[in-house]
Amino acid sequence: MDLTRPLVLDGGLATRLEAYGCDLGGGLWSARLLAEEPELVARAHRDYFEAGADVAITASYQASVTAFTERGYSRSEALGFIGRSVELALAERDAFGSGLVAAGVGPYGAALADGSEYTGAYDLDEDGLYAWHRERWRVLTGAGADLVACETLPSLAEARALARLLEETPDVRAWFSFSCADGERISDGTPLREVAAELAPLYGRGLVAAVGVNCVPPRNVPSLLGEVAAVGLPSVAYPNSGELWDAAGQRWTGSSEAEGFGEAAAGWCADGAVFVGGCCRTGPEHIRAVRTRV
């Protein structure tokens, strides 16, 4: 993997699917389309590659065997849908002619669909999280992706569980990105600098490609990347658009300027990021701006 220059990640997959008119309500979120309309997932990947993304993250963030089987699918079908998330992204990458595919490993809280990926208030400890992630991890890492995106992680316990799985698959390389409480701490209150220090030995062994943040406000990214840089690690940053979620009104507020997002991404690269892109409420226009500035 060539990290001599920053690589541009894609934008919000669900955001793009919603732009097509998809209703992503329910516990499966965008993963539902892996079963029902996979061609739309492929189309979203294609849109981002055409916008300038170097890396596509698969539609497996909220995909789990339990989530699919609770909705009437068999276990074998569920595993097939999870593997399909990688196959769709790989096919679009190959059709485009270049790029990488990162298998998206969302947190346990995403499968619960209760918002706990932003708190880390789980009913499982590290061993329980390791066991919960193991089956999906084996499917995703065996499907041919170039690397793994362990993303929106809210807790040190979940990072430790995934690090154990990473050590069991030494031919796999991953980044770890966290949801955060502020400009210094991840969602469970652990300082990001401490988390990065724990992952540093795996970076030294070539297993961890970067440590950083996603699904956070852009304004917090520079200070958070500074915490990672203090440990001597390269970072990853793909924040939200800058709009804010109004929980009471169930809507996004504020504004998002794609060009400003691209300018900010150039700053994140200067702060040590080797992967930059967007998360919620970012689309191809944001990725074009990042590509232009980066």
Side-chain angles (χ1 to χ4, degrees), residues 151-236:
E151 54 184 356
T152 330
L153 305 178
S155 71
L156 179 58
E158 191 155 30
R160 286 171 171 167
L162 290 169
R164 287 164 59 183
L165 289 167
L166 181 59
E167 289 188 277
E168 293 175 5
T169 47
D171 57 334
V172 171
R173 200 173 187 194
W175 77 63
F176 284 69
S177 61
F178 296 84
S179 67
C180 295
D182 51 35
E184 295 182 359
R185 300 170 298 142
I186 67 173
S187 293
D188 73 349
T190 306
L192 180 58
R193 187 178 304 197
E194 291 183 14
V195 179
E198 282 214 22
L199 294 170
L202 294 183
Y203 171 74
R205 291 164 52 190
L207 298 177
V208 168
V211 175
V213 298
N214 74 288
C215 214
V216 299
R219 66 178 180 276
N220 287 345
V221 171
S223 61
L224 288 163
L225 296 191
E227 297 301 304
V228 176
V231 181
L233 299 186
S235 54
V236 53

Side-chain angles (χ1 to χ4, degrees), residues 96-168:
F96 185 70
S98 65
L100 300 173
V101 170
V105 175
Y108 172 58
L112 297 178
D114 63 357
S116 56
E117 67 263 50
Y118 302 107
T119 65
Y122 289 166
D123 58 355
L124 296 179
D125 60 9
E126 179 186 328
D127 288 339
L129 290 166
Y130 166 86
W132 185 85
H133 277 287
R134 182 170 50 198
E135 185 173 41
R136 181 176 63 167
W137 178 275
R138 290 175 176 172
V139 174
L140 289 172
T141 57
D146 298 292
L147 67 164
V148 174
C150 301
E151 54 184 356
T152 330
L153 305 178
S155 71
L156 179 58
E158 191 155 30
R160 286 171 171 167
L162 290 169
R164 287 164 59 183
L165 289 167
L166 181 59
E167 289 188 277
E168 293 175 5

Side-chain angles (χ1 to χ4, degrees), residues 16-106:
R16 194 63 187 149
L17 294 170
E18 288 174 336
Y20 301 155
C22 298
D23 180 1
L24 302 183
L28 279 172
W29 202 34
S30 55
R32 177 178 61 81
L33 300 186
L34 293 171
E36 297 178 9
E37 296 182 274
E39 67 279 2
L40 292 182
V41 175
R43 178 182 167 189
H45 289 315
R46 182 164 61 251
D47 286 350
Y48 281 120
F49 277 128
E50 291 176 348
D54 296 307
V55 184
I57 304 174
T58 63
S60 46
Y61 177 83
Q62 206 145 336
S64 69
V65 173
T66 301
F68 280 115
T69 56
E70 286 179 348
R71 289 158 179 82
Y73 295 103
S74 69
R75 180 175 176 277
S76 62
E77 286 176 322
L79 293 172
F81 297 145
I82 294 169
R84 179 182 289 174
S85 70
V86 178
E87 295 164 5
L88 291 168
L90 287 172
E92 291 305 316
R93 184 275 308 275
D94 293 345
F96 185 70
S98 65
L100 300 173
V101 170
V105 175

